[in-house]
């Protein structure tokens, strides 16, 4: 039996509150270009085209080095040092992609990714999250996603709700990830596979309705993104066709 849809308070034309990080939802969040998980080949082609000659040469050397020495040698591996350099060498706009390619060249598994994530900077953590759908086939790296979802860093949250989370987060955890995006101002367009996972999800609709009611009761605007997700939770009602005995002839 279909559950009744939770009905949030009436929409308001007010602008959504800016998140505590200072990132406005109408702005592009830096370092989020990889949320759609382009293929590794596409990342390589993009950097080959867009990097200047010096940065391109550095990246090629870093990838060769990582492929030749993928394991850990001493307290830290050579390729981990290259991860730290990527922002300075390739520029902020390309650092995520460069780091993902280095992690792939180093054949980083869950253990290596976990070490880099917890020992690295926020930028390196974000790159690890972007690399997960390419490097970890199963749910073993979910603790990294769950850790990122506990933060209020919008860049980490944006990376955390990418394709890996869409594939492996439980329904309960995924719903709370969507609510976290609404709460912190991360645009829901960054939530990978949102339409499929939200479709017909009555529990998500209920949670969205409760959140909208809480904001309205507190005199705060309801994010427009909430209504976008709420629309996605509606099950599709089949349209009566000409052969449908319940349909009407024109």
């Amino acid at each position: 039996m279909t559950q009744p849809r939770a009905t949030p308070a009436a929409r308001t034309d007010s602008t959504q509150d800016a998140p505590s990080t200072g990132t406005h939802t109408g702005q592009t969040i830096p370092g989020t270009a990889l949320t759609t998980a382009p293929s590794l080949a596409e990342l390589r082609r993009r950097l080959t085209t867009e990097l200047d000659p010096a940065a391109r040469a550095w990246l090629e050397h870093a990838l060769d080095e990582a492929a030749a020495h993928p394991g850990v040698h001493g307290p830290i591996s050579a390729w981990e040092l290259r991860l730290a350099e990527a922002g300075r060498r390739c520029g902020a706009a390309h650092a995520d992609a460069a780091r993902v390619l280095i992690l792939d060249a180093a054949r980083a598994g869950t253990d290596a990714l976990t070490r880099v994530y917890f020992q690295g900077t926020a930028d390196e953590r974000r790159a690890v999250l972007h690399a997960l759908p390419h490097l970890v086939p199963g749910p073993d790296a979910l603790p990294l996603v769950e850790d990122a979802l506990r933060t209020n860093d919008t860049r980490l949250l944006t990376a955390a709700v990418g394709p890996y989370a869409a594939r492996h987060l439980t329904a309960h955890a995924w719903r709370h990830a969507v609510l976290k995006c609404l709460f912190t101002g991360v645009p829901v367009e960054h939530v990978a596979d949102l339409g499929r996972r939200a479709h017909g999800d009555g529990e998500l609709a209920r949670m969205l309705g409760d959140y909208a009611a809480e904001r309205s009761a507190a005199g705060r605007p309801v994010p427009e993104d909430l209504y976008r997700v709420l629309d996605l939770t509606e099950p599709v009602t089949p349209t009566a066709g000409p052969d449908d005995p319940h349909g009407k002839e024109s």
Side-chain angles (χ1 to χ4, degrees), residues 72-107:
V72 178
H73 304 279
I76 191 168
S77 60
W79 57 265
E80 289 179 73
L81 295 175
R82 303 298 168 252
L83 293 177
E85 294 179 38
R88 177 167 54 87
R89 297 286 191 168
C90 299
H94 303 298
D96 280 358
R99 290 183 175 112
V100 169
L101 291 175
I102 292 170
L103 289 167
D104 174 65
R107 300 190 290 279

Side-chain angles (χ1 to χ4, degrees), residues 14-20 23-25 182-185 215 219-221 223:
S14 300
T15 302
Q16 181 185 347
D17 291 350
S20 60
T23 303
H24 189 278
T25 54
L182 294 172
F183 178 74
T184 57
R215 288 186 67 89
R220 305 180 70 186

Side-chain angles (χ1 to χ4, degrees), residues 24-250:
H24 189 278
T25 54
Q27 298 173 331
T28 300
I29 300 173
T32 58
L34 302 187
T35 2
T36 54
S39 69
L40 294 170
E42 174 57 28
L43 291 182
R44 187 76 176 262
R45 284 193 297 270
R46 185 185 302 174
L47 292 189
T48 298
T49 301
E50 298 178 4
L51 289 177
D52 63 44
R56 191 161 58 245
W58 177 86
L59 179 61
E60 292 298 330
H61 174 74
L63 295 177
D64 290 344
E65 184 179 51
H69 306 286
V72 178
H73 304 279
I76 191 168
S77 60
W79 57 265
E80 289 179 73
L81 295 175
R82 303 298 168 252
L83 293 177
E85 294 179 38
R88 177 167 54 87
R89 297 286 191 168
C90 299
H94 303 298
D96 280 358
R99 290 183 175 112
V100 169
L101 291 175
I102 292 170
L103 289 167
D104 174 65
R107 300 190 290 279
T110 303
D111 289 344
L113 292 168
T114 299
R115 183 180 68 251
V116 171
Y117 179 89
F118 284 110
Q119 295 181 0
T121 64
D123 289 341
E124 290 162 26
R125 291 185 176 199
R126 189 175 66 248
V128 168
L129 294 169
H130 284 313
L132 294 182
H134 301 291
L135 302 181
V136 184
D140 296 352
L142 272 179
L144 307 185
V145 174
E146 292 163 351
D147 179 83
L149 290 173
R150 287 191 289 269
T151 75
N152 287 319
D153 183 327
T154 54
R155 297 186 304 163
L156 277 181
L157 290 172
T158 301
V161 293
Y164 188 80
R167 294 175 196 166
H168 300 297
L169 275 181
T170 65
H172 176 77
W174 185 82
R175 292 178 190 124
H176 281 277
V178 173
L179 265 291
K180 186 67 175 276
C181 288
L182 294 172
F183 178 74
T184 57
V186 171
V188 296
E189 66 191 48
H190 293 301
V191 180
D193 216 3
L194 176 63
R196 179 185 68 81
R197 292 213 58 168
H199 174 66
D201 191 336
E203 177 61 15
L204 178 60
R206 182 196 65 75
M207 294 168 68
L208 293 170
D210 289 348
Y211 179 56
E214 289 172 7
R215 288 186 67 89
S216 295
R220 305 180 70 186
V222 177
E224 280 298 314
D225 268 359
L226 184 146
Y227 295 101
R228 296 187 184 103
V229 181
L230 191 61
D231 287 342
L232 293 173
T233 66
E234 283 290 314
V236 176
T237 302
T239 304
D243 297 329
D244 190 325
H246 301 290
K248 294 182 180 181
E249 295 184 2
S250 56

